[in-house]
Amino acid sequence: MGGTQTTESTVIVVDKNADRAALICERLRFLNYQPILAPAMDADIDDADQHNVAIVIGDANDKEMRSVARRCPHTPVLLAMSAQADAKLPEALADRPAWRLDFPVRRAQLSQLLHRAARYDGVERRQTITGRSRAIRKVRRSIEQVADFDTTVLVSGESGTGKELVARMIHDRSERQGRPFVPINCGAIPADLLESELFGHEKGAFTGAISARTGRFALAEGGTLFLDEIGDMSLPMQVKLLRVLQERCFETVGSNKSRKCNVRIVAATHRDLREMVAQGEFREDLYFRLNVFPIEMPPLCKRASDLPQLLDELLLQHGTNGDRQLRVSPGALRALAAYSWPGNIRELSNLVERLAIMKPEGIIETADLPEKYVADLPPEMPQDDSAGGSADCGEDLKGYLQSVE
C-alpha cells in the first residue's frame, strides 16, 4: 500500500537523467506525492508553492545545486547518490536541511526522508540560527543529525550565544514537535525549590504547599524538557536527576508512587562541566549521561562574518513599521565587528533595540554607538564612515559593506 500523504503535497525532481527521474517520480506517486519534473537546472521552479515538501536532486554539480538552493531557500533537499559515492554532502547544501537519498531508491528511506522534510514546513523560517560562518553551519548540521533521535543533548557555550534556540530547533525538527517544549533555568531557582519545580508536589508535602503542583517533567510529557544552566544544579538534585535519566520515572514531592515519563532531555551550560567534575562540583556519572551528543555554540566574537546577517534580522525585529528602514553605516559596522561582545547575541539584540528607539529611521553612524563600542578601535581603523572594509570579518562583511556603500 502507498503512504497516507495527500496528492496536494508536491516534490520537485531535478534530474537531467530521464530514466532516473522517471524512477524517482514513480516512487513518489506510489507514496501519494505529486512529482514536479524539472529536467534542467534552469527550469521554472516555483519557490513560493507552499505545498512543496522537498526537492530531489538526481544529477547536479556544485554550481547548479547552489542555484536551486538559492531559488528555493526554505525547501529541504534530498540528494540522490549511489551507494559507492562519497557520503559527505556538498558544501552548497551545508547551510540548509539536506539529506542523502541512496540510489537505487528504497521506498522506506524515501518515505522517511519525505516525512522528515514535511516537518520543516514553516519551522525553518520560525526558529533558525542566523549566519553562514563555518561554526554556525556545523551547529545547524548537528541539530539536523540529532533531531530525529531521542538522544540526550548537552549544549555548551557562553551566556547569550543562543543555547535555548538550539534546544527549540531540535524540538521543532523532531517527532515531538507537536508536544510541549518546557524550559527551566536550574540556576534561577533556589536549590530547596528546584525538586518541586521539576517533579511537582502533593498538597501538604511541606510548609506552604497549600495545593498540589504539577512539575516540569509532567508538563513536558511526550515533548522536550530544556534544563538550562545545568551546571548550577546542586549535588543532591544531580543524584535525583540521574535516577530519572536512568529509570525514566520520578516521584512527586510528598508521594512514594513512581510515575513513568516520556521526556527528551536537552541540557545547557555556560560552565566547563569537565572541570567541575574534576573539582568534585558535578557528578561524573551525570555528566556522561548528559553529554551523549554535545553541541557547542560559538561566541559572537568568533563568528564576526555573521554580524551583517544578525544586524539585518535584529533591525527588522526592533525596527518601526511602515516604509522607514533603519540601516547601519560601514563605519559603524566596522566598529561593531571590532568589539569583543562579552554578552554575545543577547548584548547585540539589546544594543539594536536601544538604537532603534534613539534613531527609529535613517542610518546608524559610528557616532550613534555608545562609547564602549568604539573605545577599542585600533588606531589604524578610522572611525569615520569613509574608510574601507575590515578583512577580519570575512567575505560576508566585505560584501555587506560594498552593498551599503
Side-chain angles (χ1 to χ4, degrees), residues 148-354:
D148 276 340
F149 302 90
D150 279 341
T151 305
T152 302
V153 179
L154 179 61
V155 187
S156 59
E158 297 177 6
S159 295
T161 52
K163 297 187 290 295
E164 182 171 345
L165 179 56
V166 173
R168 289 185 179 274
M169 288 178 65
I170 292 172
H171 174 75
D172 284 343
R173 287 151 179 76
S174 73
E175 292 280 2
R176 297 175 179 266
Q177 65 162 327
R179 305 297 297 170
F181 176 87
V182 180
I184 180 171
N185 189 321
C186 301
I189 300 173
D192 56 341
L193 297 179
L194 184 57
E195 182 178 6
S196 173
E197 285 290 331
L198 287 174
F199 308 128
H201 63 253
E202 300 293 335
K203 180 179 179 180
F206 51 84
T207 302
I210 59 176
S211 62
R213 180 186 179 90
T214 303
R216 304 296 177 96
F217 268 93
L219 293 174
E221 179 64 23
T224 302
L225 179 63
F226 176 53
L227 301 174
D228 198 9
E229 299 304 347
I230 191 72
D232 294 338
M233 182 178 285
S234 67
L235 286 171
M237 271 305 304
Q238 292 178 30
V239 176
K240 296 177 180 180
L241 177 61
L242 178 63
R243 178 176 177 270
V244 176
L245 296 179
Q246 290 174 334
E247 302 178 12
R248 294 293 172 180
C249 64
F250 65 93
E251 297 175 1
T252 58
V253 178
S255 171
N256 57 5
K257 183 179 179 180
S258 293
R259 175 174 177 175
K260 290 188 176 296
C261 64
N262 173 22
V263 173
R264 183 190 191 156
I265 299 295
V266 178
T269 182
H270 72 284
R271 306 178 69 178
D272 187 342
L273 295 188
R274 288 173 296 184
E275 179 64 24
M276 293 182 66
V277 169
Q279 298 295 328
E281 299 173 352
F282 200 87
R283 292 185 62 93
E284 185 177 37
D285 46 7
L286 178 58
Y287 170 70
F288 287 126
R289 280 281 178 179
L290 295 172
N291 196 42
V292 179
F293 193 94
I295 296 178
E296 183 174 357
M297 278 297 290
L300 182 55
C301 64
K302 293 186 177 179
R303 42 179 297 215
S305 62
D306 292 333
L307 194 59
Q309 268 191 292
L310 289 166
L311 282 169
D312 285 344
E313 181 178 288
L314 291 170
L315 285 170
L316 285 174
Q317 291 178 10
H318 297 301
T320 55
N321 297 324
D323 297 331
R324 294 180 296 176
Q325 186 176 1
L326 191 61
R327 294 187 176 93
V328 179
S329 72
L333 184 55
R334 284 192 294 273
L336 295 176
Y339 181 64
S340 59
W341 296 107
N344 295 291
I345 306 295
R346 186 181 294 120
E347 181 181 0
L348 178 63
S349 178
N350 292 341
L351 172 64
V352 171
E353 183 176 5
R354 174 182 175 181

Side-chain angles (χ1 to χ4, degrees), residues 16 41 57 59-70 79 88-96:
K16 290 177 284 190
M41 293 298 140
I57 299 179
D59 182 22
N61 57 38
D62 194 69
K63 181 180 179 181
E64 291 171 327
M65 280 187 283
R66 288 185 187 277
S67 175
V68 174
R70 184 170 58 252
L79 185 60
K88 185 178 180 181
L89 290 173
E91 187 72 16
L93 303 177
D95 60 349
R96 63 183 297 116

